[in-house]
Amino acid sequence: MPKTTLSREEIRSLARLSPFELKDAFIALARNAQSDKPGQKGKTTRAMLNAGRGNPNWVATGPREAYHALGYFALSESRRVWTADNLGGMPEEEGSADRFDSFVRTHPELPGIELLKASFDLAVKRFGFDRDAFVHEMADSSIGDNYPVPERILRHTEEIVRGYVTDEMFDHRPPENQTLSLFATEGGTAAMCYVFDSLTKNGILRKGDRIALMVPVFTPYLEIPELDTYEFDVVHVEANLFTETGVRQWRYPPEEIAKLADPAVKLVCCVNPSNPPSLALAPHVAEQIVSIVAEENPNLIVVTDDVYGTFVEGFRSLAADLPRNTLLVYSYSKHYGATGWRLGVIGLHDDNVIDAMLAARGPNEKARLNKRYGTLSPEPEKIRFIDRLVADSRQVALNHTAGLSLPQQVMMSLFSLFDMLDEGQAYKHRIRAIVRQRLDLLLEGVHMKVSEDPKRAAYYIELDLLAEAERVHGKPFADFLEKNYEPVDPLFRLAEQTSVVLLNGGGFDGPEWSVRVSLANLDDLDYLKIGHHLRAIFNEYAEEWKAR
């Protein structure tokens, strides 16, 4: 069996690509190898197993059924106002709650109607909503007949999502005497873009400023700071601890976190739980960061991307422990199997260092920013940063048409309310069990161990092949691999020999010889197969080393 048809020079050239672009090369090799048997040209002889991307293969069906049930009620509200063939009117608020109750009673057969009623009842009870106002907002928004008002997020949606964040990101313990304001965005991707852009537009960050990245990390956090728009001076805070048995822990030692104490570091980006290692920050690391902010770097801005937080029991975001310094980014995509919905939020507590910095700006800088935002308010200097994010997302001039589409905000509300019900909690534990089962099967197949860690989300796993080489066969074998092969060589072999697609951990600023496996997007037993294939490739290198 050939090792790979590509030369070392070709592999080295391709390795310069982003891992998500390099993935396309692996997919092409894997597809070509699917029909490599004589007489089978053009016919698939084995399945391609692509564990390179984190799009989950599950969906939350209950809240989606509730969403569609709401749509039928909303259309009945529209037809009540105006009916002419395919033409309806805008739903009315007065009496909408009573009409909803009647609709539920007369449509017991409609899928999702009982969950929708339970969700609405919970919202009114927990948040004290006026029933007519809430039901009308949800019904009217579901048919998308208005611009978002307020632009940042709907009033009832913000209360609901704040409750969800309190439950799942803050472990039911929100910071005292603080209110979290939210901006609904087109997924976590848009949130990342808006945060970097608006911090720069407002002069909080300037080209060449020093920022820190806690690595390994989702690749865009590595690539955005190097764009010519920013050209930040980037400090890497590395998770480089090992266990006594030589297994990589993917944990941050105190001396790495201590890099944040430098007052020149203006911002730190953290994916928590991490991507790809998929571990939530240890409590002592969070405590060290809190201490650094309190004693040495009080204006440090923390951007925490907590999309995988729901996969860790008792997860608590840095935004809860450092409410004044932290911008929270969250996406519903992974938990609910909703990458296509593009649902995310940016959260910022009302008392925060960014607004304090803006208030302390000198007269020239205030004049510049007042000119930028002057069309939005007679007192533009009083516009909060969370609202500047909204305006900047639409080049300020289109602020009046900004905001996430209303049907998307309704789905976000229903996902959040579902989580507050017993059914949603059962769903959460079920998907946690799915990824852990897949991790166990992968490790069984590859004959590797990972450190026991109660903060493991297990949405991804990053396996350090060089550390494994040294652990199993000693440093001479590891040195042989580094001397004779490119770090991504195992991934090319996997694709070509087995039609398995993984991503290179080095592309996430992890160890160059590590591989990243998504545990979310394939069937359970596929992970056992991937493990077997990865171990076979590993053993192939060992045989080459022994045969020298």
Side-chain angles (χ1 to χ4, degrees):
M1 182 180 290
K3 299 170 185 176
T4 176
T5 57
L6 279 73
S7 69
R8 186 170 184 180
E9 290 71 26
E10 289 173 315
I11 291 174
R12 184 183 292 123
S13 177
L14 287 168
R16 298 189 185 102
L17 298 173
S18 161
F20 294 103
E21 304 305 322
L22 181 57
K23 168 180 59 67
D24 293 338
F26 297 147
I27 289 173
L29 284 172
R31 283 178 176 160
N32 290 337
Q34 284 181 293
S35 54
D36 61 354
K37 291 184 179 179
Q40 297 281 334
K41 188 173 181 180
K43 294 183 179 180
T44 298
T45 59
R46 65 180 176 225
M48 179 172 65
L49 300 178
N50 183 355
R53 194 166 189 182
N55 199 116
N57 64 347
W58 61 75
V59 297
T61 56
R64 284 173 166 90
E65 282 189 334
Y67 175 85
H68 291 297
L70 174 60
Y72 283 107
F73 168 70
L75 288 174
S76 73
E77 287 287 278
S78 177
R79 292 191 178 104
R80 174 183 169 273
V81 173
W82 189 356
T83 299
D85 295 327
N86 289 312
L87 186 149
M90 289 184 168
E92 294 179 340
E93 178 176 324
E94 186 177 356
S96 59
D98 288 341
R99 292 193 297 274
F100 174 72
D101 292 339
S102 176
F103 184 86
V104 171
R105 289 192 301 270
T106 55
H107 293 81
E109 79 293 343
L110 191 61
I113 194 67
E114 289 300 325
L115 183 61
L116 178 64
K117 183 181 186 305
S119 298
F120 277 18
D121 288 347
L122 183 150
V124 170
K125 180 178 179 180
R126 174 167 174 174
F127 302 107
F129 294 153
D130 175 86
R131 293 185 75 239
D132 275 353
F134 171 60
V135 171
H136 174 260
E137 183 176 282
M138 292 294 103
D140 185 65
S141 298
S142 73
I143 58 176
D145 61 343
N146 276 300
Y147 290 109
V149 178
E151 295 92 350
R152 180 163 54 79
I153 191 170
L154 294 174
R155 183 175 70 82
H156 296 95
T157 297
E158 182 169 34
E159 288 286 340
I160 292 166
V161 175
R162 185 184 293 128
Y164 175 74
V165 168
T166 294
D167 293 352
E168 295 294 349
M169 301 295 104
F170 295 170
D171 192 27
H172 300 272
R173 294 175 289 128
E176 294 183 1
N177 303 317
Q178 278 278 20
T179 300
L180 183 71
S181 289
L182 296 163
F183 171 24
T185 64
E186 303 89 339
T189 302
M192 290 167 57
C193 297
Y194 296 159
V195 164
F196 278 107
D197 181 63
S198 206
L199 285 171
T200 305
K201 291 286 197 305
N202 282 275
I204 302 299
L205 291 179
R206 301 184 185 276
K207 185 177 284 192
D209 276 351
R210 185 170 297 170
I211 71 168
L213 300 176
M214 299 182 71
V215 298
V217 72
F218 185 43
T219 305
Y221 284 103
L222 297 168
E223 297 173 351
I224 290 173
E226 295 187 2
L227 295 173
D228 58 7
T229 306
Y230 308 110
E231 294 179 351
F232 294 135
D233 174 18
V234 180
V235 174
H236 289 177
V237 178
E238 299 180 15
N240 57 16
L241 285 174
F242 284 83
T243 65
E244 292 181 2
T245 59
V247 174
R248 186 178 285 275
Q249 283 187 295
W250 307 106
R251 285 301 187 187
Y252 299 97
E255 60 271 19
E256 286 293 311
I257 299 298
K259 293 176 179 178
L260 303 180
D262 178 4
V265 176
K266 295 188 174 182
L267 175 143
V268 58
C269 293
C270 172
V271 177
N272 182 29
S274 52
N275 176 6
S278 210
L279 296 170
L281 287 180
H284 69 271
V285 171
E287 290 168 6
Q288 185 180 359
I289 296 173
V290 171
S291 176
I292 285 171
V293 168
E295 300 172 10
E296 297 167 280
N297 197 355
N299 287 327
L300 177 68
I301 298 169
V302 179
V303 176
T304 183
D305 185 335
D306 295 350
V307 59
Y308 306 103
T310 53
F311 290 85
V312 174
E313 185 68 30
F315 175 77
R316 187 164 171 82
S317 169
L318 282 170
D321 293 326
L322 274 174
R324 195 164 184 272
N325 293 71
T326 304
L327 276 160
L328 169 71
V329 172
Y330 178 73
S331 165
Y332 289 75
S333 60
K334 304 305 193 295
H335 186 88
Y336 292 101
T339 54
W341 267 99
R342 313 311 300 139
L343 305 179
V345 289
I346 300 170
L348 182 64
H349 286 97
D350 289 353
D351 175 18
N352 64 83
V353 294
I354 301 175
D355 284 336
M357 290 179 195
L358 291 172
R361 286 288 186 256
N364 291 340
E365 183 67 0
K366 282 186 176 180
R368 181 185 74 83
L369 293 174
N370 286 350
K371 181 179 179 181
R372 177 175 179 80
Y373 301 107
T375 59
L376 306 182
S377 168
E379 297 179 297
E381 67 275 8
K382 293 184 179 180
I383 299 175
R384 302 180 305 161
F385 182 72
I386 191 75
D387 295 307
R388 297 181 188 213
L389 278 166
V390 181
D392 292 334
S393 76
R394 298 299 185 269
Q395 296 295 309
V396 181
L398 291 168
N399 181 71
H400 63 290
T401 59
L404 187 66
S405 80
L406 300 189
Q408 286 173 284
Q409 293 197 46
V410 170
M411 190 73 259
M412 186 186 296
S413 298
L414 292 176
F415 279 147
S416 299
L417 292 169
F418 177 66
D419 183 78
M420 300 172 197
L421 296 168
D422 291 342
E423 296 94 326
Q425 289 298 299
Y427 168 86
K428 178 176 69 175
H429 292 296
R430 190 171 297 119
I431 60 173
R432 285 179 181 174
I434 288 171
V435 292
R436 280 162 177 73
Q437 166 76 1
R438 292 173 180 177
L439 174 60
D440 290 343
L441 289 167
L442 175 72
L443 295 175
E444 178 184 339
V446 76
H447 300 156
M448 288 179 67
K449 295 180 179 179
V450 296
S451 58
E452 293 292 329
D453 199 313
K455 296 297 183 180
R456 186 178 300 283
Y459 196 92
Y460 303 102
I461 192 68
E462 189 165 6
L463 300 173
D464 188 339
L465 300 184
L466 200 66
E468 178 71 358
E470 185 169 341
R471 190 183 72 84
V472 176
H473 295 295
K475 196 169 187 307
F477 178 42
D479 292 341
F480 165 80
L481 290 177
E482 288 192 287
K483 179 180 178 182
N484 291 281
Y485 300 102
E486 294 302 304
V488 294
D489 190 86
L491 299 180
F492 282 95
R493 292 197 189 194
L494 268 176
E496 201 159 358
Q497 294 181 21
T498 70
S499 295
V500 168
V501 176
L502 306 180
L503 295 191
N504 53 314
F508 298 82
D509 210 44
E512 290 294 326
W513 279 84
S514 63
V515 298
R516 179 231 205 203
V517 187
S518 166
L519 299 167
N521 66 318
L522 296 173
D523 292 338
D524 292 7
L525 290 179
D526 288 336
Y527 290 96
L528 183 64
K529 297 174 187 176
I530 290 173
H532 285 313
H533 290 317
L534 190 55
R535 174 50 67 171
I537 295 292
F538 183 86
N539 291 341
E540 186 179 277
Y541 286 115
E543 291 303 315
E544 293 167 18
W545 170 62
K546 293 174 183 176
R548 289 170 302 158

